């Protein structure tokens, strides 16, 4: 049990540090849309998606029911649960979901935070680019 919560803490720290990089001033090589910034955003989304999937999976392995859907979620093998967690995390991060897998219990709040992050990353990116561009014009 302690190992699972230790891993979950490490995953949350990794996601937080990835998001933190979006807000650091002057760390981006280019101030406009570039391949480097596009790849940064892509890897940021992948990190967040995999991180939340691991949180869902670890909570499921701990015995908490955080995802409901087909029977594979509750009684499936480790890889079926991992697949379902990744699928649910991706659908939650990028959209409102399809409804075939739904969160329950504490999973609802975790999904709410993930959806909020998924919707605010593009806005934060635009604000970052515009503010860096404005600062560059003034100097």
């Amino acid at each position: 049990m302690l190992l699972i919560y230790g891993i979950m803490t490490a995953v949350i720290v990794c996601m937080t540090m990835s998001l933190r990089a979006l807000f650091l001033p002057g760390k981006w090589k280019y101030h406009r849309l570039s391949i480097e910034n596009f790849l940064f955003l892509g890897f940021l989304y992948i990190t967040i998606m995999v991180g939340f999937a691991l949180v869902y999976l670890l909570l499921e392995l701990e015995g908490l029911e955080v995802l409901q859907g087909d029977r594979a979620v509750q009684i499936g093998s480790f890889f079926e649960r991992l697949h379902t967690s990744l699928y649910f995390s991706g659908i939650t991060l990028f959209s409102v979901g399809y409804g075939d897998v739904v969160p329950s219990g504490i999973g609802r709040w975790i999904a709410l935070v993930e959806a909020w992050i998924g919707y605010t990353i593009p806005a934060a990116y635009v604000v970052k680019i515009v503010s860096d561009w404005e600062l560059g014009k003034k100097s």
Side-chain angles (χ1 to χ4, degrees):
M1 181 165 108
L2 186 60
L3 177 65
I4 288 179
Y5 289 117
I7 293 171
M8 193 177 319
T9 302
V11 167
I12 291 169
V13 167
C14 287
M15 289 190 301
T16 303
M17 296 307 288
S18 294
L19 284 171
R20 184 177 167 266
L22 183 62
F23 298 101
L24 290 176
K27 295 291 184 185
W28 292 30
K29 190 173 183 179
Y30 301 99
H31 296 292
R32 296 179 189 220
L33 184 62
S34 66
I35 292 295
E36 290 84 1
N37 289 349
F38 182 75
L39 289 174
F40 170 79
L41 280 176
F43 285 117
L44 176 63
Y45 269 117
I46 289 170
T47 302
I48 298 301
M49 183 181 77
V50 171
F52 273 100
L54 289 174
V55 168
Y56 297 128
L57 179 65
L58 290 170
L59 289 173
E60 285 281 332
L61 292 175
E62 186 61 30
L64 296 172
E65 189 175 319
V66 293
L67 299 178
Q68 293 180 345
D70 58 5
R71 292 182 52 92
V73 177
Q74 285 84 19
I75 60 172
S77 71
F78 174 81
F79 291 107
E80 288 171 333
R81 286 181 176 197
L82 175 63
H83 177 264
T84 302
S85 296
L86 282 168
Y87 167 77
F88 177 74
S89 181
I91 292 301
T92 301
L93 188 63
F94 296 118
S95 69
V96 294
Y98 291 126
D100 53 344
V101 179
V102 295
S104 64
I106 189 71
R108 291 179 178 183
W109 293 101
I110 297 169
L112 182 66
V113 170
E114 183 178 11
W116 175 73
I117 289 171
Y119 283 115
T120 56
I121 286 175
Y125 174 76
V126 169
V127 168
K128 172 78 171 163
I129 294 298
V130 169
S131 66
D132 283 352
W133 185 65
E134 289 292 323
L135 287 173
K137 280 179 34 179
K138 290 180 183 177
S139 42

